[in-house]
């Protein structure tokens, strides 16, 4: 076997075609097993291991198989230690699936030390290991979106009172700055509008306060490691030595900062594989740049491009429609999906009088089709451009007692009011939790302003203690004025006394009393858009506290009845909920087109196929139709067997019914593959009787009758 100098240290690597090499029988057998289920293009992608590789993986083309087998190939056949291989993707679910599939290819011992993670998790690992270089204590906090918004609101309320209602716009702009690899000073210099200049000024203060709090936000998990890699040669060389082969999934979704992180990690040797599909780049609103794929050609002239065009998901007719639509976008890389699954059914286009009729028809069709096909509810998905489109559909599904799931809803534990109460409880059981401290210190407002917190945070970081503990240190007297010092010490005493009372009493009613003492109900009313919203939020808090009491009542052992133990379990619950796999209950799936990416279903309905919805009016006005077309392409390619498009001839807007125009994307499909159907579904008397009888049988089944 020939040595490959790119890996050094005596590692050996099989060349691209084993038949040309004099390999031992066992190695040849292992290579054949890994490659046995792959098509020729997939095999080529797996075995291309020297230098930069771009795998253009069309929808349903088996890209995850390529990535996982490539990892196994590098370890098993090339002798590369798993500790030197890093694979990154964008979601915990995708990373978990990748790890599981690699685990089915190789024994766990061979995979020890392998990194398969999200970009943000990789950035967090780098920051933790290089915290000194980053100017952070090892126990730094991570601000989530709500934490960041609260800090920005505080800063803008004090410094820019006239702009306080623009917090979300400024937050989005700061995130965009970070996605474009801009520091606060660079953002201010690059600002081209008054809005950008305002956001850059707030960004400077925001970054200064995060530093004082020993905290980073979600975007910092990419920005700060990338800046360290770029600016610190010794650190960069250490990490390039650690990451000898990098695999990047969903490359079309990378932003400028992620692109630079990859570039710094792979260095001059550039041993990496980027896998993606520029036709499925649908996240420009959060910084994704499909042009990053084309940029690879410029930065890496030796780039090897491999196209995966065989689709293993959909029928030929569905793929033909997808190819026709996306062909209207300009391309640097041309590809055309094809399938061996047969021609398939024609694509139906349903015309409906209005949106209520549209939803009624789709619900009834799903009900009838499932009975006739003996399918499962989980086989059906209804996709739409905006979340608001699900409301009428949910009503119609409920009428027919069809179970459904709306994807992308807010977790109970992610609601701001629940996070507030949880932050109090977290601090009570762990006084070292700076993140919890920062969330509650002014919830409700306690006149402990940003400047006080900045000085407190800087002092705590200097002393190496938590912010709560710093409140009671004698040295703080030299940092704060008399009034500021009195306020933070009163807060410290209140926290310690309240924590002791709640935990020692072990009584849930003490938590209720604590919320009364801080007048949290009034705080909710002040921060809610309406009395009804405030009432709903208060009901959520009451439900949460009742759940604590219920957990105490159900505890079998005395230790499990302790509030401290229960609170610790509640703190973990949201993390476990977020990391758990999707449930497999038999329900129709309702979701936006953005949420549907990466999924597939036998039967797909796309509703609201109208101009101003898909493509969206904002995209039409901004001339960003190309991304809307990619969104249409994603929707089409979710369908395995049957695709149905639906639109309303009029839709209610601004209190009145307005006529609509069918989406241009329907007209871009091959018309011979479409069946356009009118407003009403014509059924024979016998069909109507069958449907009514099936509905009755379904109700009996739900009621448990034999």
């Amino acid at each position: 076997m020939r040595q490959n100098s790119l890996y050094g240290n005596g590692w050996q690597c099989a060349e691209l075609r084993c038949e040309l090499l004099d390999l031992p029988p066992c190695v040849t057998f292992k290579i054949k097993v890994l490659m046995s289920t792959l098509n020729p293009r997939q095999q080529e992608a797996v075995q291309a291991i020297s230098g930069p590789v771009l795998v253009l993986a069309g929808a349903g083309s088996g890209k995850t198989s390529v990535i996982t087998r490539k990892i196994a190939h590098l370890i098993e056949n090339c002798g590369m230690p798993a500790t030197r291989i890093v694979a990154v993707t964008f979601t915990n679910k995708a990373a978990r699936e990748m790890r599981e599939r690699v685990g089915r290819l190789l024994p766990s011992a061979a995979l020890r030390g392998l990194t398969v993670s999200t970009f943000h998790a990789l950035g967090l690992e780098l920051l933790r290991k290089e915290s000194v270089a980053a100017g952070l204590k090892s126990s730094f906090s991570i601000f989530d979106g709500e934490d960041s918004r609260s800090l920005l609101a505080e800063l803008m309320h004090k410094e820019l009172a006239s702009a306080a209602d623009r917090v979300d716009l400024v937050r989005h702009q700061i995130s965009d700055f970070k996605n474009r690899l801009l520091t606060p000073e660079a953002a201010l210099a690059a600002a081209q509008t008054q809005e950008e200049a305002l956001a850059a000024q707030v960004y400077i203060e925001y970054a200064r306060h995060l530093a004082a709090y020993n905290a980073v936000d979600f975007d910092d998990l990419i920005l700060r490691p990338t800046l360290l890699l770029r600016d610190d040669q010794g650190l960069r060389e250490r990490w390039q030595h650690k990451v000898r082969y990098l695999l990047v999934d969903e490359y079309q979704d990378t932003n400028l900062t992620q692109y630079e992180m990859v570039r710094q990690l792979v260095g001059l040797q550039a041993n990496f594989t980027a896998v993606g599909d520029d036709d499925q780049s649908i996240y420009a609103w959060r910084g994704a740049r499909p042009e990053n794929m084309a940029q690879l050609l410029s930065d890496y002239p030796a780039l090897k491009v491999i196209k995966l065009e065989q689709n293993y998901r959909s029928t030929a007719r569905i793929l033909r429609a997808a190819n026709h639509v996306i062909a209207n976008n300009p391309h640097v890389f041309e590809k055309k999906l094809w399938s061996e699954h047969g021609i398939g059914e024609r694509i139906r286009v349903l015309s409906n009088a209005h949106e209520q009729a549209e939803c009624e028809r789709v619900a009834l069709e799903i009900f009838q089709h499932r009975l006739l096909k003996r399918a499962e509810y989980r086989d059906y998905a209804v996709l739409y451009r905006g979340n608001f489109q699900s409301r009428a559909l949910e009503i119609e599904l409920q009428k027919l007692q069809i179970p459904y799931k709306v994807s992308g809803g807010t977790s109970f534990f992610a609601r701001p009011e629940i996070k507030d109460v949880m932050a109090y409880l977290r601090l009570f059981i762990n006084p070292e939790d700076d993140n919890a401290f920062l969330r509650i210190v002014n919830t409700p407002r306690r006149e402990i302003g940003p400047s006080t917190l900045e000085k407190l945070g800087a002092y705590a970081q200097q002393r190496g203690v938590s912010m709560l503990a710093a409140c009671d240190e004698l040295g703080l007297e030299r940092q704060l004025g008399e009034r500021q010092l009195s306020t933070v010490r009163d807060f410290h005493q209140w926290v310690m006394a309240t924590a002791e009372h709640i935990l020692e009493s072990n009584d849930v009613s003490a938590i209720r009393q604590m919320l009364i003492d801080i007048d949290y109900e009034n705080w909710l009313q002040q921060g809610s858009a309406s009395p009804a919203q405030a009432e709903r939020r208060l009901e959520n808090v009451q439900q949460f506290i009742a759940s604590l009491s219920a957990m105490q009542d159900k505890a079998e052992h005395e230790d499990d009845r302790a509030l401290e133990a229960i609170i610790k379990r509640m703190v973990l619950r949201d993390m476990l909920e977020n990391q758990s796999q999707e449930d497999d209950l038999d329900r129709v799936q309702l979701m936006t087109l953005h949420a549907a990416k990466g999924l597939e279903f036998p039967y797909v309905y796309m509703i609201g196929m109208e101009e101003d919805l898909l493509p969206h009016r904002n995209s039409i006005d901004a001339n960003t139709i190309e991304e809307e077309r990619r969104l249409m392409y994603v929707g089409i390619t979710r369908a395995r067997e049957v695709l149905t498009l639906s639109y309303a001839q009029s839709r209610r807007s601004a209190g009145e019914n307005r006529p609509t125009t069918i989406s241009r994307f329907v007209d871009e499909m091959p018309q011979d593959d479409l069946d356009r159907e009118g407003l009403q579904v014509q059924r024979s008397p016998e069909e109507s009787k069958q449907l009514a009888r099936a509905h009755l049988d379904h109700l009996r089944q739900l009621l448990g009758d034999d």
Side-chain angles (χ1 to χ4, degrees), residues 329-343:
N329 275 1
H331 287 84
V332 174
F333 306 104
E334 296 287 345
K335 67 178 184 307
K336 184 172 290 188
L337 296 179
W338 60 276
S339 169
E340 294 180 342
H341 287 336
I343 187 64

Side-chain angles (χ1 to χ4, degrees), residues 98 139 181 186 237 251 293 349 400 417 560 630:
M98 203 178 293
S139 59
L181 201 60
E237 290 175 351
Y251 200 79
M293 300 182 76
V349 181
L400 294 173
E417 60 273 17
D560 294 335
R630 293 195 291 268

Side-chain angles (χ1 to χ4, degrees), residues 48-54 245 268-274 296 299-305:
I49 52 170
S50 299
V53 178
L54 172 62
Y245 203 94
L268 295 176
Q269 292 182 345
N271 288 319
F272 71 90
T273 295
L296 288 173
D299 289 345
Y300 303 99
L303 182 72
K304 183 178 182 65
V305 179

Side-chain angles (χ1 to χ4, degrees), residues 607-624:
I607 64 173
M609 294 301 306
E610 302 145 28
E611 292 288 301
D612 295 347
L613 268 182
L614 187 67
H616 195 275
R617 166 50 55 185
N618 292 343
S619 297
I620 296 172
D621 293 341
N623 196 26
T624 55

